[in-house]
């Protein structure tokens, strides 16, 4: 493995810092760093995309990858690698996210894809358990748990 949970976190934090500084350097920002809802999530999604593709390329795999793929209406899947649809969260679940994921899973599977969930952290145990129940043990990954990055890479690779 090229990465693990710790190196991914460091890469994310480094690039989040770079993103804030560079956006602040845009002339119209006048040095103000952005306070944009979703920016942290976008940087985290890009970090995961980068790392998983590096892992797969290191073993000779170059799958088709798409970002922000429309599932239906305004619902988008963060990342689709071949037939693996991945929901990526920088901050875990909020409220009744699990209920919407149950609906999304039906639509994802109608397309012949498998639905994965990957988060940087989930500290609220009931949400963590609901997520595992919704996605399945083999498709729910929490990068606050050592070894889950390797498990994620293995599960994606197995489906390519």
């Amino acid at each position: 493995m090229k990465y693990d949970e710790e190196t991914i976190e460091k890469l994310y934090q480094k690039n989040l810092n770079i993103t804030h500084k560079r956006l602040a350097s845009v002339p119209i920002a006048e040095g103000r760093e952005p306070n944009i809802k979703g920016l942290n999530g976008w940087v985290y999604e890009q970090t995961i995309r980068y790392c998983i593709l590096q892992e797969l390329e290191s073993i000779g795999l170059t799958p088709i990858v798409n970002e922000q793929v429309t599932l239906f209406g305004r619902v988008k899947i963060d990342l689709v690698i071949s037939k693996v649809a991945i929901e990526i969260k920088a901050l875990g679940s909020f409220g009744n996210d699990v209920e919407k994921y149950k609906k999304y899973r039906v639509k994802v599977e109608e397309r012949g894809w498998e639905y994965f969930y990957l988060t940087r952290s989930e500290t609220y145990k009931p949400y963590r358990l609901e997520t595992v129940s919704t996605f399945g043990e083999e498709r729910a990954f929490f990068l606050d748990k050592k070894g889950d990055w390797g498990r994620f890479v293995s599960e994606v690779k197995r489906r390519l």
Side-chain angles (χ1 to χ4, degrees):
M1 285 290 139
K2 292 182 76 166
Y3 299 96
D4 62 19
E5 297 78 11
E6 185 178 324
T7 57
I8 290 169
E9 180 64 21
K10 286 179 183 174
L11 186 62
Y12 165 67
Q13 292 296 337
K14 175 184 172 187
N15 282 282
L16 184 60
N17 187 42
I18 290 168
T19 300
H20 278 264
K21 286 185 182 344
R22 288 196 179 162
L23 284 173
S25 75
V26 172
I28 58 172
E30 298 176 320
R32 294 182 308 274
E33 287 198 12
N35 184 12
I36 303 167
K37 183 179 179 180
L39 183 61
N40 292 14
W42 180 82
V43 173
Y44 195 67
E45 288 174 18
Q46 295 305 308
T47 303
I48 296 303
R49 180 187 191 282
Y50 175 82
C51 292
I52 186 65
L53 291 180
Q54 291 283 307
E55 297 282 14
L56 296 173
E57 287 174 5
S58 75
I59 57 172
L61 298 174
T62 54
I64 295 170
V65 178
N66 292 293
E67 297 176 46
Q68 297 301 313
V69 177
T70 299
L71 185 58
F72 65 91
R74 293 175 41 191
V75 175
K76 296 187 185 287
I77 300 295
D78 296 321
L79 189 63
V80 178
I81 301 174
S82 190
K83 293 188 179 214
V84 178
I86 308 165
E87 194 75 47
I88 301 170
K89 297 293 170 201
L91 297 174
S93 296
F94 296 94
N96 67 346
D97 279 354
V98 168
E99 291 307 313
K100 73 179 181 181
Y101 296 147
K102 287 177 183 176
K103 294 175 189 169
Y104 297 175
R105 182 175 175 180
V106 171
K107 297 289 188 186
V108 164
E109 290 175 353
E110 284 174 0
R111 288 195 175 190
W113 298 343
E114 285 195 62
Y115 201 23
F116 280 30
Y117 178 90
L118 182 139
T119 187
R120 201 170 137 236
S121 173
E122 181 57 78
T123 57
Y124 188 57
K125 191 170 182 172
Y127 288 170
R128 196 177 189 117
L129 294 172
E130 288 176 358
T131 300
V132 170
S133 175
T134 299
F135 286 85
E137 185 75 38
E138 70 285 359
R139 294 184 310 273
F141 308 91
F142 304 89
L143 297 192
D144 56 358
K145 179 181 175 190
K146 190 148 183 67
D148 257 21
W149 175 254
R151 195 170 65 81
F152 171 69
V153 172
S154 294
E155 291 296 328
V156 170
K157 183 176 73 170
R158 194 165 67 84
R159 287 158 172 87
L160 295 180

